Amino acid sequence: MAFYRDVLGLRVLSPPYVMAGNAIRGDMGELVSDPTMKAAIVGFDDDGDRVLEVIEYVNVDGGDRRAAAALTDHGISHVALICEDLDATRAELESKGVRFLVSGIADVARVRTTWFVDPWGVVFILVEKSRPERPYFAQSGA
């Protein structure tokens, strides 16, 4: 949680809490033998559902890194974060030790982008819109 709060600037919307017992076993006991977990919710504001749920499984050795997956594999491959000033945001994250996957900033489809990973290998793309008044998906339309 500290990385997402202190480095990326997300707000802690729901502080860490432990989920254990029959309810969580009923939810995902077929997926994880002992699904006891500590979870927190982080996001940019508290008026919507655009959040990340950060989970630590308490009684499971999860290792230090995610299994290696190629960015081009099917499924969800990265998380996009919109920012107002990509140059300043990248510089701030670099000063905090964030590892970027590309050396610079690209201009594509009327947005500027750059890619980084969190300490556990989750891939993020930072996006600066050329038309701030429009939603991300409508940047290149007329």
Side-chain angles (χ1 to χ4, degrees):
M1 183 187 74
F3 173 82
Y4 297 102
R5 180 193 61 217
D6 300 341
V7 176
L8 296 186
L10 278 72
R11 289 186 39 224
V12 176
L13 303 174
S14 176
Y17 57 95
V18 174
M19 296 180 8
N22 290 334
I24 195 67
R25 271 194 294 282
D27 177 45
M28 61 182 305
E30 294 178 55
L31 303 171
V32 178
S33 62
D34 181 4
T36 301
M37 66 182 73
K38 186 169 29 170
I41 307 284
V42 296
F44 289 104
D45 51 46
D46 57 5
D47 63 353
D49 289 328
R50 293 171 290 198
V51 299
L52 295 176
E53 184 176 22
V54 181
I55 297 174
E56 174 188 354
Y57 291 94
V58 177
N59 296 321
V60 177
D61 180 18
D64 294 332
R65 309 277 308 164
R66 290 183 337 139
L71 188 61
T72 55
D73 286 351
H74 292 291
I76 297 172
S77 65
H78 63 278
V79 177
L81 298 174
I82 306 296
C83 65
E84 292 181 10
D85 183 338
L86 191 60
D87 297 290
T89 302
R90 180 175 171 132
E92 179 184 349
L93 293 177
E94 285 177 320
S95 76
K96 294 178 178 179
V98 171
R99 183 172 66 91
F100 278 80
L101 300 173
V102 296
S103 59
I105 294 172
D107 288 293
V108 61
R110 298 190 97 151
V111 297
R112 298 177 71 224
T113 64
T114 193
W115 298 76
F116 71 94
V117 293
D118 75 3
W120 304 275
V122 176
V123 176
F124 288 82
I125 181 173
L126 284 175
V127 177
E128 178 186 306
K129 301 186 303 184
S130 63
R131 299 173 176 179
E133 71 284 359
R134 290 184 172 197
Y136 165 71
F137 62 85
Q139 292 296 296
S140 62

